[in-house]
Structure formats: C-alpha cells, structure tokens
Amino acid sequence: QVQLVESGGGLVQAGGSLRLSCAASGSIFSINDMGWYRQAPGKQRELVATITSGGGTNYADSVKGRFTISRDNAKNTVYLQMNSLKPEDTAVYYCNADRYLVGVLVTYWGKGTLVTVSS
C-alpha cells in the first residue's frame, strides 16, 4: 500500500505563487509516474501535470509556462511550483502515484489540498 500526503495549499492573490508537496510512504518501491490533478467546484477532476520516474513531464495547456512539476526520488516526494496564479486555478489539488504491483498497474491518490486564488 502507498499513502500520499499533500501539503502547501492555501489562499493567495492572483499573480502569486504556491509550492505544493506530496510525500509518499508505505510500499513505495518501484513507483512509476507521479502527478497532480485538480478538481474545481462543480467540475470533474482534471490533469494538471505528470512526471515519470525518469523525469519526463507533461502539463495541461492551461498551466504550461506557469506551473512546474518535479520529484525527489530519494525523498519519494513530488512538487508542484505554481506561479502567476489565476482565480481559475482555484481547486482541490490531488497528488497521484502509479506503480506496478505484481505486474498490475495500481493508482494511488492523496486526500487533496485546497488552493484558493482571489482576484
């Protein structure tokens, strides 16, 4: 089992920055991709950014150039640096991690951290 705990959310003004962290614990061996998703009120959960074990990244078009995902494999932690925040970035941000367990891809989710961007 893998547990994911997010931190770093809060209330910021438009144009500000936040850095989210997600620490993985438990059976953390062979974690593959990690990522960040978000869910705004009344909306579906959507991809924000992902990062592979080798460091390859993928971003939603809406955050390209503003957000940066990174990971520290030694700490089993993934980060999301969010700059130039906009009110439309307001959402609960969820950490995600995948790993192969006996040949089966298993997905884990954190409980989420709230990011609120005021205009």
Side-chain angles (χ1 to χ4, degrees), residues 47-48 59-66:
L47 170 72
V48 176
Y59 297 92
D61 289 341
S62 59
V63 306
K64 286 181 180 177
R66 300 189 298 120

Side-chain angles (χ1 to χ4, degrees), residues 2-119:
V2 172
Q3 295 81 43
L4 303 173
V5 179
E6 303 98 334
S7 62
L11 174 64
V12 297
Q13 293 185 351
S17 298
L18 282 175
R19 184 177 186 242
L20 306 183
S21 299
C22 172
S25 62
S27 301
I28 49 79
F29 299 105
S30 299
I31 288 178
N32 190 21
D33 295 349
M34 299 187 75
W36 290 95
Y37 291 70
R38 67 187 182 187
Q39 188 167 21
K43 303 292 185 180
Q44 295 278 75
R45 188 174 298 186
E46 64 177 354
L47 170 72
V48 176
T50 59
I51 185 166
T52 68
S53 60
T57 58
N58 182 58
Y59 297 92
D61 289 341
S62 59
V63 306
K64 286 181 180 177
R66 300 189 298 120
F67 291 11
T68 302
I69 189 171
S70 61
R71 67 191 293 171
D72 185 337
N73 290 329
K75 296 181 179 180
N76 297 305
T77 300
V78 63
Y79 306 93
L80 185 68
Q81 178 66 46
M82 305 185 294
N83 299 325
S84 302
L85 283 162
K86 305 174 180 179
E88 48 263 47
D89 295 318
T90 295
V92 176
Y93 284 71
Y94 296 91
C95 180
N96 160 269
D98 297 332
R99 72 170 181 138
Y100 285 97
L101 182 62
V102 197
V104 178
L105 185 65
V106 180
T107 300
Y108 303 91
W109 294 93
K111 297 294 185 181
T113 185
L114 178 63
V115 172
T116 303
V117 184
S118 62
S119 59

